[in-house]
DNA sequence: GTGGTCTAGACCACG
DNA sequence: GTGGTCTAGACCACC
């Protein structure tokens, strides 16, 4: 279970944690129904405040990735290709691609980088 | 010159403006040496405070995309494929791709979306 | 912790503060990992507006001297001998030396002044 | 007569011009009694506004480096090791040295850089 | 006209 | 508690 927080990362700590757990769900390390580590556990492992992790879990719950069982930990929710507004989904992608373009990468290079990142973000044996 | 701010966007206003100008530079609407609209102009157009736009311009200057000449306006800087640390460049891309994956898109679909966004982010006649 | 702003100084207040903190880092009063005083604290101490100090801290963060953790304070960043373009580094030195020359100091005198200032700018026990 | 303005330089244009002329005086290219090029000439050469150069000349006059003959151009003033307040003279030096230290240079390296810059800033045949 | 700085005061987001 | 953002409005510096 690889979660970490990085001081050089501009995202808030809770966001790094939430994004990290989403990544674990995306790549299959965390599968439907599996229990997430407890808030206390994560807080201790990462050396951050309990409330910070609680906020991350709260966001994951709000977004539907996790179901919290009152007083009994959190589970990875059943996958739901629920439609999120396409705009909210594409905005971060656009910004990221713009940065790559301005950094001087060609379309082909960007496509290559994307393929590479997708390979890392996907479950090992499952190609969709 | 299409710049706008969106209340639904989670980014700060000044960040939306800065990102918007970067996008205009990336797609060639703003080319090297061209003058940016004045801080006051943008502020009036978008209906936000002068200082907010000034912060955006300052960030663009700090990042080297724009050269500001005190008392005269701001110009799009000569391009500098200056290397930024790769991590800082890839982190936002990773997060964006993770969201697409979790939204249920296959690798092929994601690749298609990326191609489509790249086409929009690039200058019309210039394919790199 | 000696920070002060001087009305006779031509630099902007936020710049004086940023430079002052850089000096404290350079001379070892602020070491890697140490917490900086809070924005509010500095603002109160110096009798200037909160935002002015916030601008200084932001510049320090942008230049990599400080890592700011939203909601928790700011820390002196781990040192990074990251290369800045030599020109930008030498220009202020050239201007300063020119002023000394025009003030009538000989090369030897200038060298002496530089040694004296270096001694003040360095940590007490550590000569590099 | 080498004067130029650089968009990457953070100083105001008029300040770059004034500093440039001071450097020419310091290194002997402009000697006591010599005529400075006309405001119009410099403005045309550098491609900047007349008023900008006028401001630079005004500053040089205020600081005593130049005597302006109403309607008849400007001359390099007789040298005057006039005491400027030491603080105002040392502040820029301190800031420049701090930046060098933070960039990772040792005392010896800084001293070497200073010697090198002094050699460039001095008249060829005259070592003081 | 341009951008730069500063203030006062408000509200939000984070830990 | 911390820092981040935004506003309104002022004044300055530069071209």
């Amino acid at each position: 279970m690889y979660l970490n927080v990085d001081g050089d990362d501009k995202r808030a700590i809770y966001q790094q944690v939430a994004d990290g757990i989403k990544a674990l769900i995306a790549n299959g390390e965390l599968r439907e129904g599996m229990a997430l580590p407890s808030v206390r556990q994560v807080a201790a492992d990462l050396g951050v405040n309990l409330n910070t992790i609680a906020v991350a879990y709260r966001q994951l719950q709000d977004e539907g990735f996790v179901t919290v069982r009152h007083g009994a930990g959190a589970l990875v929710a059943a996958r739901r290709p629920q439609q999120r507004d396409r705009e909210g989904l594409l905005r971060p992608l656009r910004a990221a691609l713009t940065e790559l373009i301005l950094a001087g990468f060609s379309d082909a290079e960007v496509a290559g980088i994307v393929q590479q990142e997708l390979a890392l973000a996907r479950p090992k044996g499952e190609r969709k």
Side-chain angles (χ1 to χ4, degrees), chain A residues 1 8-9 20-21 53 69 72 105:
Chain A
M1 183 81 61
D8 290 345
D9 194 325
I21 291 174
I53 308 300
R69 302 162 305 171
F105 292 105

Side-chain angles (χ1 to χ4, degrees), chain A residues 8 13 26 39 46 63-64 68-69 72 86 116 121-122 126:
Chain A
D8 290 345
I13 293 178
V39 168
L46 300 181
E63 294 182 350
V68 174
R69 302 162 305 171
R86 196 178 174 85
Q116 180 183 335
R122 284 288 192 194
E126 307 174 29

Side-chain angles (χ1 to χ4, degrees), chain A residues 8-9 12 15-17 19 22 24 27 31 36 38 43 47 69 80 83-84 87-88 90-91 101 104 107 111 120 126:
Chain A
D8 290 345
D9 194 325
Q15 191 66 63
Q16 293 185 42
V17 173
D19 285 353
K22 285 187 200 174
L24 291 172
N27 81 6
R31 295 174 176 280
L36 270 66
S38 78
R69 302 162 305 171
R80 9 106 285 171
Q83 78 293 357
R84 298 177 50 184
E87 266 314 297
L90 292 186
R91 260 197 292 254
I101 291 172
D107 278 13
L120 295 172
E126 307 174 29

Side-chain angles (χ1 to χ4, degrees), chain A residues 60-101:
Chain A
L60 291 168
Q61 181 180 21
D62 289 347
E63 294 182 350
F65 294 116
V66 150
T67 59
V68 174
R69 302 162 305 171
H70 197 86
L75 300 179
V76 178
R79 189 66 101 291
R80 9 106 285 171
Q82 166 198 343
Q83 78 293 357
R84 298 177 50 184
D85 65 313
R86 196 178 174 85
E87 266 314 297
L89 217 45
L90 292 186
R91 260 197 292 254
L93 178 66
R94 285 199 191 108
L97 292 177
T98 297
E99 293 290 346
L100 287 173
I101 291 172

